[in-house]
Amino acid sequence: MTELIQLEDIRTYFFVRKGWFGRVPLKAVDGVSIDIDERETVAVVGESGSGKTTLGRTAIKLLKPVSGKIIFQGEDVTNNDENIKEFRRQAQIIFQDPFTSLNPHMTIEQIINEPMIVHNIDDEEKKKRRLKALSDVRLLPSEEYLPKYPHMLSGGQRQRVGIARSLVLEPVFIVADEPVSMIDASSRVEILLLLGELQKKYSMGIMYITHDIATAKYFTHNIGVMYAGKIVENGSTLDVLNNPIHPYTSALKEAVPDPDPNNRLRFRNVIPGEPPNPIDPPPGCRFHPRCPCATEKCSKEEPALRDISKRRVACHYAEKFLK
Ligand code: SF4
């Protein structure tokens, strides 16, 4: 497969006021490298505050990294805004909240037309694309949805409109930022399977951002697990979900509730403690204050992300956790 986007040692910091005069960096993303090939889906998973949403927004240049490179289709686009309009056409985002991401005063037709107006697409082509996009997200008959307003649709239908809006520019890369976390459980799997189908149909690369590691299995090829601004495990989704090596990945997997109501242990182990403050992360391994396997070495030395068992893992004792 050909590489679509490569993020190389990306650092995205926000500078926040501390004390009377000083400003300190909040290191939301702190040295992340991850690749997405053409027609590949990669899940970026982690708890709130892990930096996953900031990483997604940096990948499509809604945020500027303080260092690192964004290589898109072989070209370094990190600081090159010459072709930003074309980049914006090719790299789209599906937002988390279908209730606030659609303008309540606009009809579905106006919402879907908006990006095409920005890109000067003629009326005939607009009509063709909006009907195709609505039909691809299974809002049928499509013509009946065009005059409706967002409040007339369910959460799942609104998210389908959000997906259709991102498809009309025929992007090659989409960041799907928690696309199912705000909709009811019955629609979630449908939307995830739909994204998988659309990825094949439109030959797109997708970065799927989620806090729910279990949903990554529905349509992603690879997974990157983030903790406190860093990738701690990255490999094929099957390998990582079936046999996690990093203690944080194992803990995320353990925290997924069992859907079987007869299982008395259905509310599984939650990870103890809180993620660290990104302004002042702990020394050594950032996960050490919460890790059940931590040693003195973990609190002093930061583990490198290294290749092991067909994946990359940042843990001093990764070999010990291999099954
Ligand atoms: Fe746990 Fe130590 Fe591995 Fe970090 S390096 S995940 S603290 S065992």
Side-chain angles (χ1 to χ4, degrees):
M1 279 208 259
T2 318
E3 277 161 347
L4 174 63
I5 185 161
Q6 296 152 271
L7 302 177
E8 292 181 4
D9 201 19
I10 291 289
R11 289 168 207 273
T12 308
Y13 297 173
F14 302 101
F15 290 86
V16 295
R17 193 169 287 284
K18 195 175 184 191
W20 282 100
F21 303 108
R23 286 167 85 81
V24 291
L26 183 158
K27 299 175 179 178
V29 174
D30 200 13
V32 167
S33 298
I34 196 163
D35 297 345
I36 300 178
D37 287 342
E38 285 178 359
R39 296 183 290 281
E40 184 183 52
T41 50
V42 174
V44 176
V45 179
E47 293 166 284
S48 299
S50 60
K52 56 192 189 304
T53 290
T54 303
L55 182 70
R57 284 167 196 231
T58 306
I60 56 167
K61 293 181 44 124
L62 292 180
L63 292 171
K64 200 170 171 58
V66 294
S67 67
K69 281 185 184 170
I70 305 166
I71 313 286
F72 186 68
Q73 295 182 320
E75 194 189 330
D76 184 350
V77 296
T78 324
N79 297 308
N80 178 2
D81 286 342
E82 230 170 76
N83 295 322
I84 189 72
K85 196 169 175 188
E86 178 56 14
F87 179 82
R88 296 250 178 271
R89 186 193 70 72
Q90 297 195 76
Q92 291 283 308
I93 185 165
I94 298 167
F95 291 102
Q96 174 179 19
D97 186 352
F99 297 89
T100 57
S101 66
L102 304 181
N103 187 331
H105 305 294
M106 290 168 85
T107 63
I108 304 309
E109 178 171 358
Q110 289 168 328
I111 288 169
I112 294 182
N113 274 350
E114 210 179 19
M116 295 192 281
I117 292 169
V118 172
H119 287 268
N120 305 322
I121 292 169
D122 68 55
D123 288 348
E124 197 53 36
E125 184 65 17
K126 271 206 247 6
K127 184 178 175 191
K128 209 168 83 192
R129 289 195 193 186
R130 71 178 169 248
L131 290 177
K132 179 174 185 298
L134 285 172
S135 146
D136 284 344
V137 299
R138 312 245 170 73
L139 288 176
L140 293 164
S142 305
E143 288 87 348
E144 288 184 13
Y145 284 89
L146 294 173
K148 293 190 178 182
Y149 286 87
H151 73 270
M152 299 161 86
L153 307 181
S154 68
Q157 287 171 329
R158 283 185 225 195
Q159 195 53 296
R160 285 169 197 262
V161 172
I163 297 170
R165 178 177 57 183
S166 69
L167 290 178
V168 286
L169 295 178
E170 299 176 344
V172 293
F173 177 51
I174 283 192
V175 170
D177 185 6
E178 301 259 21
V180 294
S181 63
M182 306 281 285
I183 58 182
D184 57 84
S186 60
S187 303
R188 278 183 204 160
V189 174
E190 276 176 34
I191 297 275
L192 291 175
L193 294 175
L194 177 68
L195 277 174
E197 271 174 42
L198 294 171
Q199 178 265 324
K200 290 192 192 89
K201 189 166 185 176
Y202 283 75
S203 296
M204 300 179 292
I206 297 182
M207 179 189 279
Y208 168 56
I209 293 168
T210 181
H211 65 278
D212 182 356
I213 196 167
T215 60
K217 71 177 180 224
Y218 287 105
F219 75 110
T220 66
H221 302 104
N222 285 319
I223 189 167
V225 179
M226 277 189 83
Y227 185 76
K230 291 184 176 285
I231 295 274
V232 296
E233 185 159 3
N234 176 211
S236 99
T237 303
L238 277 183
D239 285 346
V240 173
L241 290 189
N242 289 342
N243 183 16
I245 294 178
H246 195 282
Y248 178 60
T249 315
S250 303
L252 275 184
K253 196 179 156 193
E254 278 297 304
V256 175
D258 186 338
D260 180 359
N262 297 318
N263 184 356
R264 287 171 55 220
L265 297 175
R266 61 195 285 252
F267 296 104
R268 311 272 287 271
N269 301 328
V270 290
I271 308 170
E274 297 286 331
N277 182 346
I279 294 175
D280 190 18
C285 173
R286 292 183 180 186
F287 188 52
H288 87 260
R290 304 172 77 190
C291 180
C293 313
T295 66
E296 206 183 328
K297 179 180 178 180
C298 304
S299 62
K300 291 189 175 136
E301 284 176 38
E302 184 171 354
L305 192 61
R306 56 204 171 90
D307 292 325
I308 175 168
S309 186
K310 297 192 286 180
R311 70 188 86 172
R312 300 184 301 157
V313 185
C315 172
H316 294 308
Y317 304 104
E319 287 78 3
K320 211 169 103 183
F321 303 128
L322 255 177
K323 288 183 195 114

